[in-house]
Amino acid sequence: MSEMTLVEAVNLALARAMEDDPDVVVLGEDVGINGGVFRATAGLQARFGPERVLDTPLAELLISGLCVGMAAQGLRPVGEIQFMGFLYPCIDQLVNHASRIRNRTQGRLTCPMVLRTPHGAGIRAPEHHSESTEAMLAHIPGLRVVIPSSPERAYRLLLAAIRDPDPVVFLEPTRIYRAAKGEVEDNGEALPLDVAFVLREGRDVTLISWGAMLKETMAAADALAVDGIAAEVVDLATLKPYDEVTVLGSVTKTGRCVIVHEATRTGGFGAEIAALIAERSLTSLLAPVARVTGYDTVIPMARLEQHMMPSVDRIVTAARKACQFS
Amino acid sequence: MADAGLPVIARFEVRHRNYLAPDGSINRPLPAFASDASLLTALYRAMVLLRIFDRKAVALQRTGRLGTYAVSLGQEAVSVGIASAMRGEDVLLPSYRDNGALIWRGVKLEEILLFWGGDERGNHFSGPVEDFPFCVPVGSQAPHAAGVAYAFKLRREPRVAVCMFGDGATSKGDVYEAMNFAGVHRLPVVFVVTNNQWAISVPLRLQTGCETLAQKAIAAGFIGEQVDGSDVVAVRAAAEDAIVAARDGQGPRFVEAVTYRLGDHTTSDDASRYRSADEVQTRWKEEPIARLRNYLVGQKMWSKAEEEALAAECHARVEAAVERYLATEQRRPETMFDHLYARLPEAYAAQRRELAGEGDV
């Protein structure tokens, strides 16, 4: 067991998956000799050869479409899109093909592919490099959308995604690629998909988040604890399909819920969770469900981006307000 | 103007292939396979079946028993000619107007009707199990073909992916991205464009400034050839050359089959809004079925009696398929969830139960 960063855990999972299964193919721009712009694929080409670790032309639609063709042939392609802002040319392939080829052909063809991309703001990157449009992907039937929040979960959820018989979009929280460190044992064991993780138990308020935003959410839980408020923190991890049981179970227990995401508010995934709680657990609520989200604006460039993203203070304020509601 | 004194560093050419003239006479010596009367008549039979099937499908649509349908009228030679050059283990990635190729490869007529009749079971067809279903978003199957061909190459399998699309698709980045990648990796894939002159109402001259579509292959680094797409002998010969070369490790090829869509774009379209009856009438003189029949009759390979027997046989086959199609039991509503994921996530199981009338949502 060794301590590593989240991006190193991604690399470890890719290497493990390629070692275990000769059908696993990694493809994308700069994934080969360069090891990916974030080094997520570092060393893989030297180890597994250029046929299985493939530098593609600069064409995102192509990368996702190649994955569909390869997957229909029984390969396990793992495509990399360098930043989420460049994922949009892939949407046609994800919506019209990857997510529905099983259904269209009634199971005759399937699509066990993974499309990985860095997700989210906070790294002072240029325009179009800080997107967090996960709700758009989570709206697509037949797809899985997974966001890890620690090196351990990155390693085990990516292994699960690669082994899954259906297409998975794997969103890697850019802001904590290197900031998140932890022990990971390279034993090839996967975590289940479609399952939320309770990172911290508490009786007073449920804080739900995913990806990099869990860093602030956990810090908020610490701050609330000082005030004697015991926050339960849920890492949703898989957004499509998401773990309704854990969400409802936690909210039923605490009676209060704050959903935290850096993506813009309108139509964000927080709205889905709030609606679920309203439909299924209204009577257990002691306060309105609150959302702490990015604002309904384009994610600003470096100088203002921290003002767009939920801060620990905003989360703490929302949770306190929920706890004081009567 | 460029300086005439500058050196030329590259020149390219595009060949055009044709054997049979519109009246069925031959323009140049036929390829070897054309001496096989049984193969030529098989191509002819497949085209006639497709035309009779099309006519019936339109009638079904007009009487409310089929959804929107895309006819192959006038371009039967392309899908039949291409599919006839493929092996069973090759993979076809068709567009929505390639019924002739699917039928040649063993897809049942009732399965095609099921698809156009609004039932996904039509895509669970009896053809080669790895063939792709019809692709509706234009040209978006081209990257799949490159992916399939990459898998063949990675596994050292002597198989070829054959990707079919229309002239409109060549305007899309998807097609160029796939061709470009196939060129880089010398993949065993053959791209076929059925250039039927019209992308719904947009004529070829508004689709491209190119003299040919075949030359688009040049930018991707491989050979593009133009064939007379109303001459099934030419289509089959070009397809065979391309597929053999691809299987042999010589990389991808591109075939532009120049033909004409004599019918409407689909049963929801009225082509008389955008093109003249005169134009269509002129093109009828070049259509592929009469062309091959004239040749076969001239060669004493085909007789009036055989023609009558074929028509009766095709009608019977189509009618029997229609009966099976109409008799297909309706799927239960909750089955729309059955192939959404390999295993239905618990989150959606309740929705399935609701559709099944076991509502506990």
Side-chain angles (χ1 to χ4, degrees), chain B residues 29-233:
Chain B
L30 300 189
F33 70 80
S35 58
D36 179 351
S38 65
L39 174 56
L40 280 196
T41 53
L43 295 172
Y44 180 71
R45 287 168 166 276
M47 291 197 293
V48 170
L49 174 65
L50 178 56
R51 188 165 292 183
I52 290 171
F53 176 72
D54 265 355
R55 206 176 295 146
K56 184 68 187 184
V58 172
L60 289 171
Q61 190 276 335
R62 298 287 186 240
T63 51
R65 291 175 293 171
L66 196 72
T68 299
Y69 180 79
V71 294
S72 301
L73 188 65
Q75 54 186 69
E76 292 90 344
V78 184
S79 57
V80 169
I82 296 291
S84 75
M86 294 175 68
R87 288 187 187 164
E89 69 268 24
D90 295 336
V91 165
L92 176 72
L93 298 101
S95 82
Y96 49 79
R97 206 190 299 282
D98 295 316
N99 286 321
L102 269 72
I103 296 167
W104 184 279
R105 285 176 70 71
V107 177
K108 292 178 181 163
L109 300 182
E110 58 266 35
E111 291 167 335
I112 293 173
L113 292 172
L114 261 184
F115 172 77
W116 293 102
D119 191 323
E120 287 85 357
R121 287 177 297 182
N123 277 334
H124 191 282
F125 51 60
S126 321
V129 296
E130 293 170 35
D131 278 9
F132 275 57
F134 290 125
C135 186
V136 175
V138 169
S140 60
Q141 74 275 37
H144 307 163
V148 167
Y150 193 88
F152 294 162
K153 191 176 178 200
L154 188 70
R155 292 170 168 162
R156 315 281 189 267
E157 293 172 347
R159 303 165 72 190
V160 178
V162 176
C163 183
M164 302 183 70
F165 42 79
D167 39 285
T170 61
S171 298
K172 287 193 66 177
D174 311 37
V175 170
Y176 175 69
E177 290 184 24
M179 287 171 56
N180 181 54
F181 179 80
V184 169
H185 291 278
R186 314 305 297 163
L187 298 182
V189 54
V190 175
F191 299 99
V192 179
V193 57
T194 304
N195 177 0
N196 70 10
Q197 312 301 321
W198 293 92
I200 306 189
S201 68
V202 177
L204 191 69
R205 70 186 153 74
L206 295 182
Q207 199 66 244
T208 178
C210 285
E211 226 172 328
T212 70
L213 297 176
Q215 72 203 61
K216 297 203 171 199
I218 294 166
F222 51 92
I223 296 171
E225 179 186 345
Q226 192 182 71
V227 303
D228 183 332
S230 302
D231 171 4
V232 74
V233 175

Side-chain angles (χ1 to χ4, degrees), chain A residues 51 73 93 97 104 108 166, chain B residues 131 134 140 144 150 155:
Chain A
E51 285 192 318
Q73 273 298 312
Q93 290 292 332
H97 295 298
R104 291 177 67 213
R108 186 170 57 79
D166 292 309
Chain B
D131 278 9
F134 290 125
S140 60
H144 307 163
Y150 193 88
R155 292 170 168 162

